[in-house]
Every structure is written in structure tokens, then in C-alpha cells.
Amino acid sequence: MIVSMIRVTVNGDARRFDGPLDVAGLLARLDCKGKKVAVERNGEIVPRSAHGSTLIADGDRLEVVVAVGGG
Amino acid sequence: MKDSLVVAGSSYGSRLLVGTGKYRDFAQTRAAVEASGAQIVTVAIRRTNIGQNPGEPSLLEALPPSKYTYLPNTAGCYNAADAVRTLRLARELLDGHDLVKLEVLGDPHTLYPNMPETLKAAQQLVREDFKVMVYCSDDPIQAQMLEAAGCVAVMPLASLIGSGMGILNPWNLQLVIDKVKVPVLVDAGVGTASDAAIAMELGCDGVLMNTAIAAARDPVLMAKAMKKAVEAGREAFLAGRMPKKLYSAAPSSPTEGTISPSQSKAA
């Protein structure tokens, strides 16, 4: 299997991962497994049901968010 | 008949909505929210701290969404596009929950709302089937435009966010209340219990506050006070206050039968 390096931006920070990688795999590597989060990829929501089937591509911009206290 | 706040077809016994920010910890957040009797709580959507201990408590555990109606906000957004993106993320995060608080700020110092961007975001969110409660200026025409855009509630400021300055322009609030049919909630500016009572006495349908409770010396006690103030103000509004007049020639006690008849005639 060819392992390719994927460069992505997660929450504004540049990161590198070994590919191929889907959103579920990315969340696991970010220690977000089991945490209630929502994911946006290149400006589009990735529904939870699609985390396992959405592949991350080189250059993707991802946002991983949670609910926090606020007014 | 029960006097409920009805927003987007759902009824709420409490007319006090509270924010969940600025508390010492989640235990204090929960204690204050419980004391306030609020059923709707606002939350913010933020980037997760990557690398944070996954076992760390979360707001969702402290205030279970099964018990409270979450109102995700767009605090910190300065344009319509960011606000819409934030609420799409919120809907995904909260499993399709579509009741949201839209706020688009215009200035980081005053946190005064940017109304053109707010209206633009409201229109887009309504197209996407969100139920939008919208933070706005206390301009009755803007409020009408937001209502026409399909917002389910308008939430004018009483004074600036976090200022605690109270109800600075009751006349404009009155105009907003008179001009729109959707619920009107004061959002921002309340500092203490009497401010909340005044808002409700004017005929507001509810009050949303965060700092007034969280920044009190004893937040839980202030939350209790706010609950009573909102209830008292609502009841006073429903009861219909007496007209104001500078003086009255009608004392509350009988004018006849006093032991000094000559004076009672003079009164």
C-alpha cells in the first residue's frame, strides 16, 4: 500500500497525516473519539453519518467544534 | 390558562433565558441555571481544544440537552457568512436541533449588532429551515424587517452586552413590542432584578441574560432573584398597572367617619 502524506489545516493549524484518512480516522488521531463534535470540511458540513466514508484530501481545511458556555 | 412563552410552536413555562458563559466552573453553571428556572440556555460553538483530555467534562454533560433546550449562538461572528456557518455546525453538533440565536456583531468594543449583516444571515438561515431568535438593535423598523424575514423571535438589546446598564430606552422597546407579532425578548443589558422586571412590565415576552447572573457576587442567589423578577414583572404586566398621575385627590382610606370631621372634608 502506498502511504501518502496529507497536509491539512485543522482549526487553523497546519497538520500532516499519513493517508489515506477519512474524517472518523482524523478524529481518532486528534483524540476526539467519543467526544461530541461537529466537523466542517472546506466550508461544508460533514454529517456524523458520513465521517467513515468521507476521505480527507491534501489541502483540506477542517473545523472541529464543540459546544461551550456562552451567552 | 397557563401563561407560557411560545416560540416557534413550542411552549416554555419560564420566560427567563440564560447564558452559560463566564461561570467559575460547570458546577456553578449548573447550579445557577437550575436556580434561574430557565428552560432555554444559550451555548457558544467553538473550535475544540485538540489534545485536550477526552475524559474532561463537557457542557453537554453539565447541562444535558434532554433537560434543557439549547440555543446555540453566533457570538463572535462579525459577518453573515460566519454566522450561518457557525449555526450549520451547531445543527450538526446538536443532532438537527434548529432553534438558534443569531447575533452578528458590528464592533468588538461595544458588541453593538451589525443590522444589515444580521438581516442577511437571518434570511439565509430561514431559507435553510432554522428557527431564528435574533439579537438586534432596539429599532422597531429593523425588528419588523427581521420578523418579515421569518425570525421566530426578536431580541432587542436593553443596553450593550455585558454592560449591566439596564433598560436605557423603554420607549423604543415599547415600539418594538407594539410593532411586531412574534415574541420580543430583551437580550443584553440587564444588570439586576429590577431591570428584568421593568422589561417584563413593558410587555416583553421574555428576558435573556448571562453576565447579570454570572458576574454577580453570588450567581446562584442572583439567578433566583432574576426568576422572581421575571415572574413578578410578567404578572404586573398582565395585571395592568394603575395610571400614573402626579398627585391624587383619592386617598386609599375612607374620607368619611374620621374623628376630626372638619379635616376629612378638607381632604
Side-chain angles (χ1 to χ4, degrees):
Chain A
M1 192 171 100
I2 301 160
V3 177
S4 59
M5 186 67 83
I6 302 171
R7 288 160 303 175
V8 296
T9 306
V10 184
N11 290 355
D13 293 329
R15 285 170 180 268
R16 287 158 175 262
F17 297 100
D18 289 337
L21 184 68
D22 59 26
V23 171
L26 174 80
L27 292 177
R29 291 205 206 167
L30 296 174
D31 272 341
C32 289
K33 217 171 167 181
K35 211 162 150 184
K36 190 139 183 175
V37 298
V39 179
E40 183 196 69
R41 176 175 169 256
N42 301 330
E44 301 288 329
I45 298 293
V46 183
R48 211 164 278 130
S49 59
H51 283 188
S53 56
T54 304
L55 279 178
I56 311 276
D58 195 55
D60 275 359
R61 299 186 67 84
L62 294 126
E63 296 289 342
V64 183
V65 302
V66 291
V68 302
Chain B
M1 204 180 84
K2 205 160 169 277
D3 175 46
S4 300
L5 168 65
V6 180
V7 179
S10 293
S11 297
Y12 303 91
S14 170
R15 292 176 178 273
L16 173 57
L17 287 67
V18 297
T20 57
K22 299 184 181 170
Y23 288 100
R24 193 177 58 219
D25 50 32
F26 285 143
Q28 190 186 54
T29 311
R30 181 168 49 206
V33 171
E34 272 173 14
S36 76
Q39 294 164 290
I40 301 177
V41 298
T42 63
V43 299
I45 304 299
R46 288 292 179 272
R47 287 170 164 174
T48 185
N49 258 334
I50 289 164
Q52 185 190 27
N53 176 8
E56 213 163 309
S58 77
L59 183 69
L60 291 141
E61 286 157 21
L63 297 170
S66 54
K67 196 171 159 196
Y68 296 97
T69 297
Y70 269 36
L71 192 64
N73 70 25
T74 60
C77 290
Y78 286 84
N79 60 62
D82 285 350
V84 170
R85 273 177 72 198
T86 299
L87 292 176
R88 286 176 185 151
L89 278 162
R91 180 154 67 180
E92 163 64 16
L93 183 71
L94 300 171
D95 308 309
H97 175 79
D98 54 12
L99 185 70
V100 296
K101 171 181 161 178
L102 170 65
E103 59 180 296
V104 183
L105 304 176
D107 172 73
H109 303 292
T110 62
L111 305 178
Y112 205 84
N114 177 329
M115 293 313 299
E117 287 294 303
T118 299
L119 183 60
K120 208 162 105 184
Q123 288 163 337
Q124 180 62 30
L125 290 165
V126 168
R127 274 197 291 276
E128 297 184 21
D129 297 322
F130 283 93
K131 294 174 181 131
V132 182
M133 300 177 75
V134 58
Y135 170 64
C136 53
S137 63
D138 63 359
D139 174 338
I141 306 304
Q142 293 283 357
Q144 283 179 295
M145 290 163 82
L146 290 165
E147 179 181 45
C151 292
V152 299
V154 295
M155 306 201 290
L157 50 77
S159 48
L160 298 177
I161 293 175
S163 72
M165 290 289 285
I167 315 289
L168 294 187
N169 192 340
W171 311 108
N172 263 39
L173 281 181
Q174 192 69 69
L175 288 174
V176 173
I177 292 163
D178 288 352
K179 288 287 178 189
V180 306
K181 289 173 202 71
V182 293
V184 176
L185 293 87
V186 155
D187 179 3
V190 166
T192 189
S194 52
D195 299 333
I198 289 168
M200 296 307 294
E201 286 168 16
L202 286 171
C204 284
D205 295 280
V207 180
L208 198 168
M209 65 181 76
N210 191 152
T211 312
I213 296 174
R217 193 175 61 239
D218 183 340
V220 176
L221 189 56
M222 186 57 89
K224 276 167 74 173
M226 291 299 186
K227 178 179 194 281
K228 291 176 188 160
V230 168
E231 287 170 0
R234 176 64 182 175
E235 286 176 11
F237 169 73
L238 292 176
R241 63 152 299 148
M242 64 166 285
K244 283 184 187 176
K245 41 196 167 180
L246 190 54
Y247 58 89
S248 163
S252 299
S253 303
T255 51
E256 296 302 311
T258 65
I259 58 169
S260 51
S262 58
Q263 277 193 20
S264 80
K265 273 185 192 127

